[in-house]
Amino acid sequence: MTVSIEQWLQQAKQQLESAAHDNHGRESALLDAQLLLMDVLGQNRTYLYTWGDKALTDEQRSQVNTLLEKRLNGEPLAYILGEREFWSLPFKVAPSTLIPRADTETLVEWALDLAANQQLPDTAKAVDLGTGTGAIALAIASEFPNWNITGVDFQAEAVELAQHNQQALKMKNAVIRQSDWFSALADEYFDLIVSNPPYIDEADPHLEQGDVRFEPSSALVAADKGLADLQHIIEQAPDYLNEGGWLLLEHGFQQADAVCELLKQRGFVQIENRKDLGGNPRISGGCWVAEPLP
């Protein structure tokens, strides 16, 4: 029995809709099916529309059905395809790192605003802590060729992946290194420190839902109701910030008040919060102004 491109897409769409646990999953069913088939065929979406009546070979059907089965079992599309777009840049992804999310682009936008308002130097030095795929570091690097960007991660697999992305994107003003937060950054000072650290409480029921079931818990979960790593970064950051430097942190939408309070207690000023695409408080940050000598 032969199956055409259009027939396979409709069958896959129905299966994905039936397996979906929410409206988003049902609404994205056709797109997911298209992306899986595009990956196997090595073609774009226009090809699928133009050649909808073209029959799939047995090998193509076998390959795409294998991918479909993974998606039906809940595996994130980004892991299946091995790639996710962030800041209009293609990033290779793997189960050793978090999947870059659009909400995190809010952090990049804030960095752009600081530069536009001349709150950062034209040749700023920045570091992304826990860089994962390198998405934040390389997105910033793409916008500021004159900046010096460092991305660090504790996991060797993440460092290797981020280095691959840095080389693939040809970001010559960025470097990826292995470091447990600030441990490998002794005697270095930055104008901007950014991070999307683990911030989910280990008892959070969302850890058993959706894509996060497949993502590394070490990149998701933190002690002290998800605040431990955020607090560690806030405490240590001033030792690595230039005068007037900024610290920007992603966190859970219910953690904004706590993070802002931690920033205030540590001595940061101009503290504020920015909302993500869903209107939830997602990024908090502040400026470091060293205390004057007595």
Side-chain angles (χ1 to χ4, degrees):
M1 176 182 172
T2 61
V3 175
S4 70
I5 288 175
E6 178 59 29
Q7 288 172 331
W8 187 89
L9 286 173
Q10 289 305 314
Q11 292 169 6
K13 174 177 176 289
Q14 292 171 6
Q15 289 179 270
L16 289 165
E17 286 176 340
S18 298
H21 297 289
D22 53 29
N23 286 333
H24 176 72
R26 286 184 284 272
E27 290 170 357
S28 67
L30 178 58
L31 176 60
D32 286 4
Q34 290 173 335
L35 290 171
L36 293 174
L37 190 53
M38 286 160 55
D39 184 65
V40 168
L41 299 179
Q43 301 288 350
N44 58 26
R45 191 173 289 109
T46 301
Y47 179 92
L48 302 184
Y49 290 128
T50 304
W51 301 99
D53 58 350
K54 185 178 179 64
L56 297 174
T57 67
D58 291 343
E59 183 179 0
Q60 290 169 341
R61 285 176 58 191
S62 176
Q63 290 176 349
V64 75
N65 284 338
T66 297
L67 300 185
L68 176 61
E69 190 64 30
K70 291 182 178 182
R71 188 65 186 126
L72 289 171
N73 289 331
E75 188 169 336
L77 194 64
Y79 286 162
I80 297 172
L81 301 178
E83 187 173 289
R84 169 61 65 89
E85 183 179 283
F86 181 85
W87 203 254
S88 298
L89 299 170
F91 285 88
K92 181 181 178 181
V93 299
S96 59
T97 64
L98 288 183
I99 299 169
R101 288 170 169 81
D103 284 335
T104 303
E105 292 185 353
T106 303
L107 194 157
V108 180
E109 291 170 354
W110 195 342
L112 265 65
D113 288 346
L114 290 173
N117 294 328
Q118 297 183 326
Q119 292 173 281
L120 293 172
D122 292 338
T123 55
K125 186 175 180 181
V127 63
D128 174 25
L129 303 174
T131 197
T133 61
I136 297 173
L138 298 177
I140 293 175
S142 73
E143 294 288 340
F144 301 106
N146 293 328
W147 284 22
N148 184 310
I149 314 294
T150 300
V152 300
D153 203 287
F154 178 67
Q155 300 294 337
E157 297 91 340
V159 172
E160 184 178 350
L161 183 66
Q163 288 175 339
H164 168 88
N165 286 326
Q166 181 264 327
Q167 293 164 9
L169 294 169
K170 297 180 173 60
M171 297 297 174
K172 296 181 179 180
N173 59 327
V175 63
I176 308 297
R177 297 158 54 186
Q178 188 166 11
S179 178
D180 184 4
W181 300 128
F182 294 100
S183 67
L185 302 175
D187 300 322
E188 292 191 52
Y189 297 91
F190 301 90
D191 303 295
L192 176 67
I193 297 174
V194 298
S195 183
N196 176 17
Y199 56 73
I200 300 179
D201 184 351
E202 59 187 357
D204 193 316
H206 292 97
L207 291 169
E208 302 301 323
Q209 303 171 12
D211 288 357
V212 295
R213 292 174 296 162
F214 295 83
E215 295 181 277
S217 60
S218 61
L220 293 166
V221 177
D224 192 19
K225 298 182 179 180
L227 290 171
D229 289 321
L230 287 159
Q231 183 169 11
H232 175 79
I233 293 170
I234 291 170
E235 286 296 321
Q236 297 291 320
D239 295 334
Y240 300 87
L241 278 171
N242 287 321
E243 177 79 5
W246 282 79
L247 172 64
L248 306 181
L249 297 166
E250 178 168 339
H251 50 69
F253 73 94
Q254 295 178 319
Q255 296 172 321
D257 290 343
V259 173
C260 287
E261 181 61 28
L262 288 171
L263 287 165
K264 179 180 177 182
Q265 291 177 3
R266 187 61 180 88
F268 284 87
V269 298
Q270 299 183 52
I271 298 166
E272 63 175 292
N273 177 271
R274 297 215 174 177
K275 295 180 179 179
D276 60 23
L277 298 175
N280 299 308
R282 183 64 60 185
I283 313 293
S284 293
C287 179
W288 177 251
V289 180
E291 298 181 12
L293 295 175

